[in-house]
Amino acid sequence: MTKFYSVKEVAEIIDDPYLPSQVYQAGKKVNWSLRELVIARCFLKQEQEHQRLYN
């Protein structure tokens, strides 16, 4: 019999001003496509906006 457990994940704010540049540098090293760059930029922009509103 398989049991399923409910797991609730809570987003955690990463307060590191260097994170965006580190993410972009890592993407450049592995030759991200434009699609991957846009996804990262959207995520990081959303994170910055959240910090601006709630801090």
Side-chain angles (χ1 to χ4, degrees):
M1 177 183 241
T2 303
K3 292 184 179 182
F4 293 95
Y5 297 95
S6 177
V7 176
K8 185 176 181 180
E9 293 186 25
V10 178
E12 184 177 326
I13 303 300
I14 301 172
D15 190 20
D16 181 358
Y18 301 107
L19 181 63
S21 64
Q22 291 173 340
V23 169
Y24 294 135
Q25 286 176 5
K28 190 173 183 179
K29 280 186 179 180
V30 296
N31 297 321
W32 271 358
S33 67
L34 179 59
R35 176 180 177 250
E36 292 163 322
L37 179 62
V38 169
I39 290 169
R41 181 169 287 172
C42 288
F43 171 75
L44 292 168
K45 184 69 174 173
Q46 181 181 15
E47 186 71 21
Q48 289 171 350
E49 184 66 18
H50 185 272
Q51 287 180 358
R52 185 183 70 77
L53 290 174
Y54 296 103
N55 288 336

Coordinates of all heavy atoms in Angstrom, one line a residue:
M1 N 0.8 -1.2 0.0 CA 0.0 0.0 0.0 C 0.9 1.2 0.0 O 1.8 1.4 0.8 CB -0.9 0.0 1.2 CG -1.8 1.2 1.3 SD -2.7 1.1 2.8 CE -4.4 1.2 2.1
T2 N 0.6 2.2 -0.9 CA 1.4 3.4 -1.0 C 0.7 4.5 -0.2 O -0.5 4.7 -0.3 CB 1.5 3.9 -2.5 OG1 2.0 2.8 -3.2 CG2 2.3 5.1 -2.6
K3 N 1.5 5.2 0.6 CA 1.0 6.4 1.3 C 1.5 7.7 0.6 O 2.6 7.8 0.2 CB 1.4 6.4 2.8 CG 0.9 5.2 3.6 CD 1.3 5.3 5.0 CE 0.7 4.2 5.8 NZ 1.1 4.3 7.2
F4 N 0.6 8.6 0.6 CA 0.9 9.9 0.0 C 0.9 10.9 1.1 O 0.0 11.0 1.9 CB 0.0 10.3 -1.1 CG 0.1 9.4 -2.3 CD1 -0.8 8.4 -2.5 CD2 1.0 9.7 -3.3 CE1 -0.7 7.6 -3.6 CE2 1.2 8.9 -4.4 CZ 0.3 7.8 -4.5
Y5 N 1.9 11.8 1.2 CA 2.0 12.8 2.2 C 1.9 14.1 1.5 O 2.4 14.4 0.5 CB 3.3 12.7 3.0 CG 3.5 11.4 3.7 CD1 4.1 10.3 3.2 CD2 2.9 11.3 5.0 CE1 4.3 9.1 3.8 CE2 3.1 10.1 5.7 CZ 3.7 9.0 5.1 OH 3.9 7.8 5.8
S6 N 1.2 15.0 2.2 CA 1.0 16.4 1.7 C 2.2 17.2 2.1 O 2.6 17.3 3.3 CB -0.2 17.0 2.2 OG -0.3 18.3 1.8
V7 N 2.9 17.8 1.1 CA 4.1 18.6 1.4 C 3.8 20.0 0.9 O 3.4 20.2 -0.3 CB 5.3 18.1 0.8 CG1 6.5 19.0 1.0 CG2 5.6 16.7 1.3
K8 N 3.9 21.0 1.8 CA 3.7 22.4 1.3 C 5.0 23.1 1.2 O 5.8 23.1 2.2 CB 2.8 23.1 2.3 CG 2.4 24.5 1.9 CD 1.5 25.1 2.9 CE 1.1 26.5 2.4 NZ 0.2 27.2 3.3
E9 N 5.3 23.6 0.1 CA 6.6 24.3 -0.1 C 6.3 25.8 0.0 O 5.4 26.3 -0.5 CB 7.2 23.9 -1.5 CG 7.6 22.5 -1.6 CD 8.3 22.2 -2.9 OE1 8.8 23.2 -3.5 OE2 8.3 21.1 -3.4
V10 N 7.2 26.4 0.7 CA 7.2 27.9 0.8 C 8.3 28.5 0.1 O 9.5 28.1 0.3 CB 7.2 28.2 2.4 CG1 7.1 29.7 2.6 CG2 6.0 27.5 3.1
A11 N 8.0 29.5 -0.7 CA 9.1 30.2 -1.4 C 10.0 31.0 -0.4 O 9.5 31.5 0.6 CB 8.5 31.2 -2.4
E12 N 11.2 30.9 -0.6 CA 12.2 31.6 0.2 C 12.9 32.7 -0.5 O 13.4 32.5 -1.6 CB 13.2 30.6 0.8 CG 14.2 31.2 1.8 CD 15.1 30.1 2.3 OE1 14.7 29.0 2.5 OE2 16.3 30.5 2.6
I13 N 12.9 33.9 0.0 CA 13.6 35.0 -0.7 C 15.1 34.9 -0.4 O 15.6 34.7 0.7 CB 13.1 36.4 -0.1 CG1 11.6 36.5 -0.2 CG2 13.8 37.5 -0.7 CD1 11.1 36.4 -1.6
I14 N 15.8 35.0 -1.5 CA 17.3 35.0 -1.4 C 17.8 36.4 -1.5 O 17.6 37.1 -2.6 CB 17.9 34.1 -2.6 CG1 17.3 32.7 -2.5 CG2 19.4 34.2 -2.5 CD1 17.7 31.9 -3.7
D15 N 18.3 36.9 -0.4 CA 18.7 38.3 -0.3 C 20.2 38.4 -0.7 O 21.0 38.6 0.2 CB 18.4 38.8 1.1 CG 18.6 40.3 1.2 OD1 18.6 41.0 0.1 OD2 18.8 40.8 2.3
D16 N 20.5 38.3 -2.0 CA 21.9 38.3 -2.4 C 21.9 39.2 -3.6 O 21.4 38.9 -4.7 CB 22.4 36.9 -2.8 CG 23.8 36.9 -3.2 OD1 24.5 38.0 -3.3 OD2 24.3 35.8 -3.5
P17 N 22.5 40.4 -3.5 CA 22.5 41.3 -4.7 C 23.4 40.8 -5.8 O 23.2 41.3 -6.9 CB 23.1 42.6 -4.1 CG 23.9 42.2 -2.9 CD 23.2 40.9 -2.3
Y18 N 24.2 39.8 -5.6 CA 25.1 39.3 -6.7 C 24.4 38.1 -7.4 O 25.0 37.7 -8.4 CB 26.4 38.9 -6.1 CG 27.2 40.0 -5.5 CD1 27.3 40.1 -4.1 CD2 27.7 41.1 -6.2 CE1 27.9 41.2 -3.5 CE2 28.4 42.1 -5.6 CZ 28.5 42.2 -4.2 OH 29.1 43.2 -3.6
L19 N 23.3 37.6 -6.9 CA 22.7 36.5 -7.5 C 22.4 36.6 -9.0 O 22.7 35.8 -9.8 CB 21.4 36.1 -6.8 CG 20.7 34.8 -7.3 CD1 21.6 33.6 -7.2 CD2 19.4 34.6 -6.6
P20 N 21.7 37.7 -9.4 CA 21.5 37.9 -10.9 C 22.7 37.8 -11.8 O 22.7 37.0 -12.8 CB 20.8 39.3 -11.0 CG 20.2 39.5 -9.7 CD 21.2 38.9 -8.7
S21 N 23.8 38.5 -11.4 CA 25.0 38.4 -12.2 C 25.6 37.0 -12.2 O 26.1 36.5 -13.2 CB 26.0 39.4 -11.8 OG 26.5 39.2 -10.5
Q22 N 25.5 36.3 -11.1 CA 26.1 34.9 -11.0 C 25.2 34.0 -11.9 O 25.8 33.1 -12.6 CB 26.1 34.4 -9.5 CG 27.1 35.2 -8.7 CD 26.9 34.8 -7.2 OE1 25.9 34.3 -6.8 NE2 28.0 35.0 -6.5
V23 N 23.9 34.2 -11.9 CA 23.1 33.3 -12.7 C 23.4 33.6 -14.2 O 23.6 32.6 -15.0 CB 21.6 33.6 -12.4 CG1 20.7 33.0 -13.5 CG2 21.2 33.1 -11.0
Y24 N 23.5 34.9 -14.6 CA 23.8 35.2 -16.0 C 25.2 34.7 -16.4 O 25.4 34.2 -17.5 CB 23.7 36.7 -16.3 CG 22.3 37.2 -16.1 CD1 22.0 38.4 -15.4 CD2 21.2 36.5 -16.7 CE1 20.7 38.9 -15.3 CE2 19.9 37.0 -16.5 CZ 19.7 38.2 -15.9 OH 18.4 38.6 -15.7
Q25 N 26.2 34.8 -15.5 CA 27.5 34.3 -15.8 C 27.5 32.8 -16.0 O 28.1 32.2 -16.9 CB 28.5 34.7 -14.7 CG 28.9 36.1 -14.8 CD 29.8 36.5 -13.6 OE1 30.2 35.7 -12.8 NE2 30.0 37.8 -13.5
A26 N 26.8 32.1 -15.1 CA 26.7 30.6 -15.3 C 26.0 30.2 -16.6 O 26.4 29.3 -17.3 CB 25.9 30.0 -14.1
G27 N 25.0 30.9 -16.9 CA 24.3 30.7 -18.2 C 25.2 30.9 -19.4 O 25.1 30.2 -20.4
K28 N 26.0 31.9 -19.3 CA 26.9 32.2 -20.4 C 27.9 31.1 -20.6 O 28.3 30.7 -21.7 CB 27.6 33.6 -20.1 CG 28.4 34.1 -21.3 CD 28.9 35.5 -21.0 CE 29.7 36.0 -22.2 NZ 30.2 37.4 -22.0
K29 N 28.4 30.6 -19.4 CA 29.4 29.5 -19.5 C 28.8 28.2 -20.2 O 29.6 27.5 -20.8 CB 29.8 29.1 -18.1 CG 30.8 30.0 -17.5 CD 31.3 29.5 -16.1 CE 32.4 30.3 -15.5 NZ 32.8 29.8 -14.2
V30 N 27.5 28.0 -20.0 CA 26.9 26.8 -20.6 C 26.2 27.0 -21.9 O 25.4 26.2 -22.3 CB 26.1 26.0 -19.6 CG1 26.9 25.5 -18.4 CG2 24.9 26.9 -19.1
N31 N 26.4 28.3 -22.4 CA 25.8 28.6 -23.7 C 24.2 28.6 -23.7 O 23.6 27.9 -24.5 CB 26.3 27.8 -24.8 CG 27.8 28.0 -25.0 OD1 28.3 29.2 -24.9 ND2 28.5 27.0 -25.3
W32 N 23.6 29.3 -22.8 CA 22.2 29.3 -22.7 C 21.6 29.8 -24.0 O 22.2 30.7 -24.7 CB 21.7 30.3 -21.6 CG 21.5 29.6 -20.3 CD1 21.7 28.3 -20.0 CD2 21.2 30.3 -19.1 NE1 21.5 28.1 -18.6 CE2 21.1 29.3 -18.1 CE3 20.9 31.6 -18.8 CZ2 20.8 29.6 -16.8 CZ3 20.5 31.9 -17.5 CH2 20.5 30.9 -16.5
S33 N 20.5 29.3 -24.4 CA 19.7 29.9 -25.5 C 19.0 31.1 -25.1 O 18.9 31.5 -23.9 CB 18.7 28.8 -26.0 OG 17.7 28.7 -25.1
L34 N 18.5 31.9 -26.1 CA 17.7 33.1 -25.7 C 16.5 32.7 -24.8 O 16.2 33.4 -23.9 CB 17.2 33.7 -27.0 CG 16.4 35.0 -26.9 CD1 17.1 36.1 -26.1 CD2 15.9 35.5 -28.2
R35 N 15.9 31.6 -25.1 CA 14.7 31.1 -24.3 C 15.1 31.0 -22.8 O 14.4 31.5 -21.9 CB 14.2 29.8 -24.8 CG 13.1 29.2 -24.0 CD 12.7 27.9 -24.6 NE 11.7 27.2 -23.8 CZ 11.9 26.1 -23.1 NH1 13.0 25.5 -23.1 NH2 10.9 25.6 -22.4
E36 N 16.3 30.4 -22.5 CA 16.7 30.2 -21.2 C 17.1 31.5 -20.5 O 16.8 31.7 -19.3 CB 17.9 29.2 -21.1 CG 17.5 27.8 -21.5 CD 18.7 26.9 -21.9 OE1 19.6 27.5 -22.5 OE2 18.6 25.8 -21.6
L37 N 17.7 32.4 -21.3 CA 18.0 33.7 -20.7 C 16.7 34.5 -20.4 O 16.7 35.1 -19.3 CB 18.8 34.5 -21.8 CG 19.2 35.9 -21.4 CD1 20.1 35.9 -20.2 CD2 19.9 36.6 -22.5
V38 N 15.7 34.4 -21.2 CA 14.5 35.2 -21.0 C 13.8 34.6 -19.7 O 13.3 35.3 -18.9 CB 13.5 35.1 -22.2 CG1 12.1 35.6 -21.8 CG2 14.1 35.9 -23.3
I39 N 13.8 33.3 -19.6 CA 13.2 32.6 -18.4 C 13.9 33.1 -17.1 O 13.2 33.5 -16.1 CB 13.2 31.1 -18.5 CG1 12.2 30.7 -19.6 CG2 12.8 30.5 -17.2 CD1 12.3 29.2 -20.0
A40 N 15.2 33.1 -17.1 CA 16.0 33.5 -16.0 C 15.7 35.0 -15.7 O 15.5 35.4 -14.5 CB 17.5 33.3 -16.2
R41 N 15.7 35.8 -16.7 CA 15.4 37.2 -16.5 C 14.0 37.5 -15.9 O 13.9 38.3 -15.0 CB 15.5 38.0 -17.8 CG 15.3 39.5 -17.6 CD 15.7 40.3 -18.8 NE 17.2 40.3 -18.9 CZ 17.8 40.7 -20.0 NH1 17.2 41.2 -21.0 NH2 19.1 40.7 -20.0
C42 N 13.0 36.8 -16.4 CA 11.7 36.9 -15.8 C 11.6 36.5 -14.4 O 11.0 37.2 -13.5 CB 10.7 36.0 -16.6 SG 10.3 36.7 -18.3
F43 N 12.3 35.4 -14.0 CA 12.3 34.9 -12.6 C 13.0 35.9 -11.7 O 12.5 36.3 -10.7 CB 13.0 33.6 -12.6 CG 13.3 33.1 -11.1 CD1 12.2 32.7 -10.3 CD2 14.5 33.2 -10.6 CE1 12.5 32.3 -9.0 CE2 14.8 32.9 -9.3 CZ 13.8 32.4 -8.5
L44 N 14.1 36.4 -12.2 CA 14.9 37.3 -11.4 C 14.2 38.7 -11.2 O 14.2 39.3 -10.2 CB 16.3 37.5 -11.9 CG 17.2 36.3 -11.8 CD1 18.5 36.4 -12.7 CD2 17.5 35.9 -10.4
K45 N 13.5 39.1 -12.3 CA 12.8 40.4 -12.2 C 11.6 40.3 -11.2 O 11.4 41.2 -10.4 CB 12.3 40.7 -13.6 CG 11.6 42.0 -13.7 CD 12.6 43.2 -13.5 CE 11.8 44.5 -13.7 NZ 12.7 45.6 -13.4
Q46 N 11.0 39.1 -11.3 CA 9.8 38.9 -10.3 C 10.3 38.9 -8.9 O 9.7 39.4 -8.0 CB 9.2 37.6 -10.7 CG 8.0 37.2 -9.8 CD 7.4 35.9 -10.2 OE1 8.0 35.1 -10.9 NE2 6.2 35.6 -9.7
E47 N 11.5 38.3 -8.7 CA 12.1 38.2 -7.3 C 12.4 39.6 -6.8 O 12.2 39.9 -5.7 CB 13.3 37.3 -7.4 CG 13.9 37.0 -6.0 CD 13.1 36.1 -5.2 OE1 12.2 35.4 -5.7 OE2 13.2 36.2 -3.9
Q48 N 13.0 40.4 -7.7 CA 13.4 41.8 -7.3 C 12.1 42.6 -7.0 O 12.1 43.4 -6.0 CB 14.2 42.4 -8.5 CG 15.5 41.9 -8.7 CD 16.2 42.4 -9.9 OE1 15.6 43.1 -10.7 NE2 17.5 42.2 -10.1
E49 N 11.1 42.4 -7.8 CA 9.8 43.2 -7.5 C 9.2 42.7 -6.2 O 8.7 43.6 -5.4 CB 8.9 42.9 -8.7 CG 7.6 43.7 -8.6 CD 7.8 45.2 -8.7 OE1 8.8 45.6 -9.2 OE2 6.9 46.0 -8.3
H50 N 9.3 41.5 -5.9 CA 8.7 41.0 -4.6 C 9.5 41.6 -3.5 O 8.9 42.0 -2.5 CB 8.8 39.4 -4.6 CG 8.2 38.8 -3.4 ND1 8.8 38.7 -2.2 CD2 6.9 38.4 -3.2 CE1 8.0 38.1 -1.3 NE2 6.9 38.0 -1.9
Q51 N 10.8 41.6 -3.6 CA 11.6 42.2 -2.5 C 11.3 43.7 -2.3 O 11.3 44.2 -1.2 CB 13.1 42.0 -2.8 CG 13.6 40.6 -2.6 CD 15.0 40.4 -2.9 OE1 15.7 41.3 -3.3 NE2 15.5 39.2 -2.7
R52 N 11.1 44.4 -3.4 CA 10.9 45.8 -3.4 C 9.5 46.1 -2.6 O 9.4 47.0 -1.8 CB 10.8 46.4 -4.8 CG 10.6 47.9 -4.8 CD 10.5 48.5 -6.2 NE 9.3 48.1 -6.8 CZ 8.1 48.7 -6.6 NH1 8.0 49.6 -5.7 NH2 7.0 48.3 -7.2
L53 N 8.5 45.2 -2.9 CA 7.2 45.4 -2.3 C 7.1 45.0 -0.9 O 6.4 45.7 -0.1 CB 6.2 44.6 -3.1 CG 5.9 45.1 -4.5 CD1 4.9 44.2 -5.2 CD2 5.3 46.5 -4.5
Y54 N 7.8 44.0 -0.5 CA 7.6 43.4 0.9 C 8.8 43.6 1.8 O 8.8 43.1 2.9 CB 7.3 41.9 0.7 CG 6.0 41.7 0.0 CD1 6.0 41.3 -1.3 CD2 4.8 41.9 0.6 CE1 4.8 41.1 -2.0 CE2 3.6 41.7 0.0 CZ 3.7 41.3 -1.3 OH 2.5 41.1 -2.0
N55 N 9.8 44.4 1.4 CA 10.9 44.7 2.4 C 10.9 46.2 2.7 O 10.4 47.0 2.2 CB 12.3 44.3 1.8 CG 12.4 42.8 1.8 OD1 11.7 42.1 2.6 ND2 13.2 42.3 1.0

